[in-house]
């Protein structure tokens, strides 16, 4: 698709519609979608064991903010259990400004970044991040299996895919997206992968300028209309072919 | 060493921003109060610690989150050596010569302890906004165009956080009052440090979630842009970050 057509197809708007009295019109659909964006997808590997270990730390009232598993317990977890731990629990508190408020018409937008995971209240500790990176191959396998089993890519899985630059999962992401075309953050994730992969056709696109250019921020978006959906998927699949084959 | 205060008169204030679901446009009556002209400094916090022997959350729990570029966006490092005396960890230097910088790497709970000792309190979310807005209804007290932000606030001007940004002279905090004040004479309401406020949001689920406003030296136009009059940040009540601090208020006893 040439640049002119791409430019035409992209409806790039930062305006938000408001009621005449100035109050935002946040529909029930938007509220539901906002909650949906923050949902996590739980892996099944050792889930009961990992949840029990987490429950023990959360039960300690003196250390309500210290969410780290004791080192011997962390070290004793298998690779699969460590993966599950990373997907359902962040060991350190996160802060301040990375949480996104409800946005009018949120369900019709492809944002520059997916929402944070763990409701923006926790994030991975250094050892969790290191685990994901050093076990990248196995992690990608477990991410794929979890996505296929659950037909869903929760905020936690998206964060992991982004963290390990799992370009190998692009066809899987597209497959889940096409199921109901509901989760626009999957398209966001595809764009993040292309951006991080410095994919030149994407870096030269109007959507890149809008989402990650000089004037962009974490709430920048493009409309999730059929043309933008198709364009993003086609471009991501082309990127995938350059990286994986 | 005592804070200078500015009186915010009792009255009806226009708060919030259209489209901001957590902070909807509204008019609200507030009783008079006095708010510190600047953020609480290292010197002021040191006086509190000297007088009380108080030990902060970060000192007890070794859980402070620090910044040391290059880092990806919104990524912080947990550094057990970081405390208010060494806001970004021991290896990155202490607060010697920085007595007039805002205290950081303290938690909301630490700020409450300071307030109790100093016989002051934290502003509510509404009080903070009324004081910051100074009667304006725009995104910033200087209008809607954020191009002027650098005159009023110590923020991050870099495109991302992979390279240090010293373009305004400060990598992290600046001395309080270094940038231009708002029309009421309050300094650093935007940038320098996020300022803890009391109050809850509709989205709050955990009782341990607290809020802070005004953005910080870390915030950039390309990340969260929270250096404005409307946005509200969130954090765990016991978490300590090197871009978090506070400003105090007190009742305007007998003043209108």
């Amino acid at each position: 698709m040439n640049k002119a057509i791409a430019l035409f197809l992209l409806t790039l708007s930062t305006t938000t519609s408001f009621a005449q009295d100035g109050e935002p019109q946040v529909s029930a659909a938007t509220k539901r979608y906002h909650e949906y964006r923050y949902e996590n997808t739980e892996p099944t590997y050792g889930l009961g064991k990992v949840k029990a270990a987490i429950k023990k730390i959360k039960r300690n009232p003196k250390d309500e903010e210290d969410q780290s598993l004791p080192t011997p317990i962390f070290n004793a977890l298998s690779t699969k259990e460590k993966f599950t731990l990373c997907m359902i629990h962040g060991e350190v508190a996160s802060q301040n400004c990375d949480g996104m408020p409800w946005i009018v018409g949120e369900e019709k937008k492809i944002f520059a970044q997916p929402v944070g995971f763990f409701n923006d209240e926790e994030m991975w500790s250094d050892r969790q991040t290191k685990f994901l990176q050093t076990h990248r191959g196995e992690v990608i396998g477990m991410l794929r299996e979890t996505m296929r089993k659950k037909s869903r890519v929760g905020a936690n899985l998206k964060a992991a895919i982004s963290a390990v630059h799992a370009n190998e999962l692009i066809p899987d992401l597209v497959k889940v997206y096409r199921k109901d075309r509901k989760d626009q953050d999957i398209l966001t994730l595809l764009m993040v992968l292309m951006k991080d992969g410095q994919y030149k056709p994407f870096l030269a696109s109007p959507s890149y300028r809008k989402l990650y250019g000089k004037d962009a921020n974490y709430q920048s978006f493009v409309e999730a209309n059929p043309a933008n959906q198709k364009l993003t998927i086609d471009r991501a699949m082309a990127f995938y072919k350059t990286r994986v084959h | 060493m005592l804070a200078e205060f500015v009186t915010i008169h009792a009255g009806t204030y226009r708060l919030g921003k259209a489209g901001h679901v957590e902070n909807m446009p509204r008019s609200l009556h507030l009783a008079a109060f006095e708010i510190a002209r600047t953020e609480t400094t290292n010197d002021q916090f040191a006086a509190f610690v000297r007088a009380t022997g108080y030990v902060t959350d970060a000192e007890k729990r070794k859980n402070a989150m620090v910044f040391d570029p290059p880092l990806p966006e919104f990524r912080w490092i947990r550094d057990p050596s970081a405390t208010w005396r060494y806001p970004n960890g021991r290896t990155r230097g202490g607060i010697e010569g920085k007595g007039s910088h805002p205290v950081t790497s303290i938690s909301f709970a630490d700020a409450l302890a300071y307030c109790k000792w100093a016989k002051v309190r934290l502003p509510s979310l509404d009080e903070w906004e009324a004081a910051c807005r100074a009667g304006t209804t725009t995104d910033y007290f200087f209008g809607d165009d954020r191009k002027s932000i650098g005159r009023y606030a110590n923020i991050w001007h870099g495109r991302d956080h992979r390279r240090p940004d010293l373009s305004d002279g400060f990598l992290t905090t600046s001395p309080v009052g270094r940038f231009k004040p708002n029309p009421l004479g309050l300094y650093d309401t935007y940038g320098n440090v996020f300022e803890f406020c009391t109050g809850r949001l509709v989205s709050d689920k955990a009782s341990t979630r607290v809020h802070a406003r005004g953005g910080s030296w870390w915030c950039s136009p390309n990340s969260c842009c929270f250096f404005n009059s409307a946005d509200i940040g969130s954090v765990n009540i016991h978490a300590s970050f090197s871009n978090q601090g506070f400003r105090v208020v007190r009742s305007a006893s007998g003043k209108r």
Side-chain angles (χ1 to χ4, degrees):
Chain A
M1 186 176 297
N2 71 41
K3 238 183 234 179
I5 295 171
L7 185 61
F8 173 76
L9 289 173
L10 283 160
T11 307
L12 305 174
S13 168
T14 54
T15 56
T16 311
S17 62
F18 304 116
Q20 280 187 337
D21 63 0
E23 296 301 314
Q25 293 175 307
V26 178
S27 66
T30 293
K31 286 179 184 171
R32 275 197 305 275
Y33 183 68
H34 185 80
E35 297 290 321
Y36 172 83
R37 293 179 77 198
Y38 276 93
E39 285 174 6
N40 288 326
T41 304
E42 285 187 342
T44 52
Y45 317 110
L47 185 61
K49 178 179 169 182
V50 175
K51 275 190 172 174
I54 294 167
K55 204 171 172 185
K56 267 189 194 163
I57 3 170
K58 290 202 168 176
R59 212 181 276 156
N60 183 347
K62 284 185 185 166
D63 268 329
E64 62 193 16
E65 79 297 352
D66 188 359
Q67 302 295 329
S68 299
L69 240 54
T71 304
I73 295 176
F74 180 86
N75 290 342
L77 294 176
S78 68
T79 300
K80 287 189 169 185
E81 289 162 350
K82 283 195 180 96
F83 171 75
T84 295
L85 174 73
C86 292
M87 292 305 103
I88 65 171
H89 178 70
E91 291 193 307
V92 293
S94 68
Q95 73 145 354
N96 273 334
C97 53
D98 46 353
M100 281 198 192
W102 288 334
I103 292 161
V104 177
E106 199 168 320
E107 69 277 17
K108 297 171 192 155
K109 293 176 169 51
I110 308 170
F111 290 95
Q113 301 292 335
V115 294
F117 52 116
F118 307 140
N119 285 315
D120 290 317
E121 286 166 19
E122 299 169 3
M123 62 184 184
W124 290 317
S125 62
D126 291 342
R127 71 181 178 183
Q128 286 181 296
T129 305
K130 194 174 167 194
F131 163 78
L132 292 170
Q133 284 163 351
T134 54
H135 293 78
R136 183 177 181 278
E138 293 155 284
V139 164
I140 288 175
M142 289 185 276
L143 284 166
R144 178 178 285 121
E145 196 171 57
T146 304
M147 282 162 55
R148 285 180 181 172
K149 201 179 281 181
K150 304 281 176 92
S151 285
R152 180 83 169 96
V153 192
N156 54 345
L157 302 194
K158 290 189 189 90
I161 291 167
S162 175
V164 301
H165 305 296
N167 301 323
E168 296 91 326
L169 294 175
I170 287 173
D172 301 84
L173 289 167
V174 169
K175 194 174 173 188
V176 175
Y177 178 74
R178 282 182 168 151
K179 184 174 59 86
D180 55 11
R181 296 181 183 268
K182 181 179 171 185
D183 186 353
Q184 311 307 336
D185 279 350
I186 291 179
L187 301 184
T188 295
L189 178 57
L190 294 176
M191 297 222 224
V192 169
L193 291 172
M194 289 190 280
K195 171 179 72 75
D196 291 349
Q198 293 287 292
Y199 181 51
K200 283 184 183 162
F202 179 59
L203 300 186
S205 70
S207 43
Y208 177 85
R209 282 198 295 281
K210 176 68 184 173
L211 297 174
Y212 309 107
K214 188 166 63 74
D215 298 321
N217 63 48
Y218 271 52
Q219 290 185 27
S220 299
F221 62 84
V222 297
E223 297 294 341
N225 56 36
N228 284 344
Q229 292 168 359
K230 181 175 185 317
L231 184 61
T232 306
I233 288 171
D234 289 350
R235 205 177 259 151
M237 287 305 294
F239 168 62
Y240 166 76
K241 283 171 189 162
T242 66
R243 294 305 160 103
V244 178
H245 294 294
Chain B
M1 184 129 359
L2 291 174
E4 260 188 69
F5 287 85
V6 171
T7 300
I8 308 297
H9 297 294
T12 301
Y13 291 88
R14 185 80 184 143
L15 307 178
K17 179 183 176 180
H20 201 306
V21 182
E22 296 274 33
N23 190 12
M24 286 198 269
R26 64 202 182 282
S27 291
L28 191 78
H29 181 82
L30 291 174
F33 62 97
E34 294 177 347
I35 186 162
R37 200 177 281 283
T38 64
E39 293 159 339
T40 303
T41 64
N42 285 317
D43 278 347
Q44 288 166 334
F45 198 80
F48 156 61
V49 171
R50 272 197 306 276
T52 61
Y54 183 80
V55 180
T56 62
D57 269 329
E59 288 168 307
K60 281 185 284 194
R61 303 166 193 278
K62 319 271 183 219
N63 66 348
M65 303 298 289
V66 309
F67 177 75
D68 186 20
L71 283 173
E73 296 299 70
F74 297 110
R75 183 90 183 129
W76 292 74
I77 308 163
R78 188 171 183 162
D79 187 330
S81 75
T83 66
W84 68 276
R85 297 174 201 274
Y86 296 92
N88 282 290
R90 277 186 174 267
T91 57
R92 299 173 192 95
I95 57 167
E96 295 77 22
K98 293 185 175 177
S100 64
H101 286 230
V103 63
T104 61
S105 294
I106 44 103
S107 69
F108 184 90
D110 297 329
L112 290 182
Y114 174 90
C115 287
K116 191 175 175 188
W117 170 78
K119 297 185 172 55
V120 291
R121 62 181 173 82
L122 293 176
S124 68
L125 292 166
D126 292 335
E127 286 172 335
W128 185 94
E129 185 168 331
C132 173
R133 285 191 175 281
T136 63
T137 54
T138 44
D139 286 354
Y140 306 94
F141 56 70
F142 51 81
D144 278 323
D145 185 355
R146 75 167 180 230
K147 281 182 189 152
S148 310
I149 189 72
R151 294 159 63 192
Y152 297 94
N154 170 22
I155 62 162
W156 191 270
H157 295 277
R159 175 64 186 81
D160 55 37
H161 292 76
R162 292 184 183 276
R163 284 191 205 93
D165 170 45
L166 283 153
S167 58
D168 61 6
F170 303 99
L171 177 64
T172 60
T173 56
S174 62
V176 298
R178 179 58 63 95
F179 292 79
K180 286 183 72 175
N182 80 351
L184 295 174
L186 303 180
Y187 292 90
D188 304 308
T189 52
Y190 306 140
N192 221 9
V193 292
F194 263 105
E195 299 176 12
F196 287 126
C197 296
T198 56
R200 305 277 296 161
L201 299 180
V202 287
S203 64
D204 285 344
K205 289 172 189 159
S207 59
T208 52
R209 191 183 191 214
V210 294
H211 302 289
R213 303 196 66 169
S216 74
W217 56 261
W218 182 94
C219 301
S220 74
N222 300 107
S223 56
C224 66
C225 304
F226 267 35
F227 39 77
N228 61 57
S229 299
D231 282 322
I232 302 172
S234 304
V235 70
N236 183 284
I237 190 170
H238 293 291
S240 304
F241 284 75
S242 63
N243 69 338
Q244 284 177 187
F246 63 102
R247 174 192 308 266
V248 299
V249 300
R250 65 186 182 192
S251 301
S253 48
K255 295 180 183 173
R256 60 174 290 279

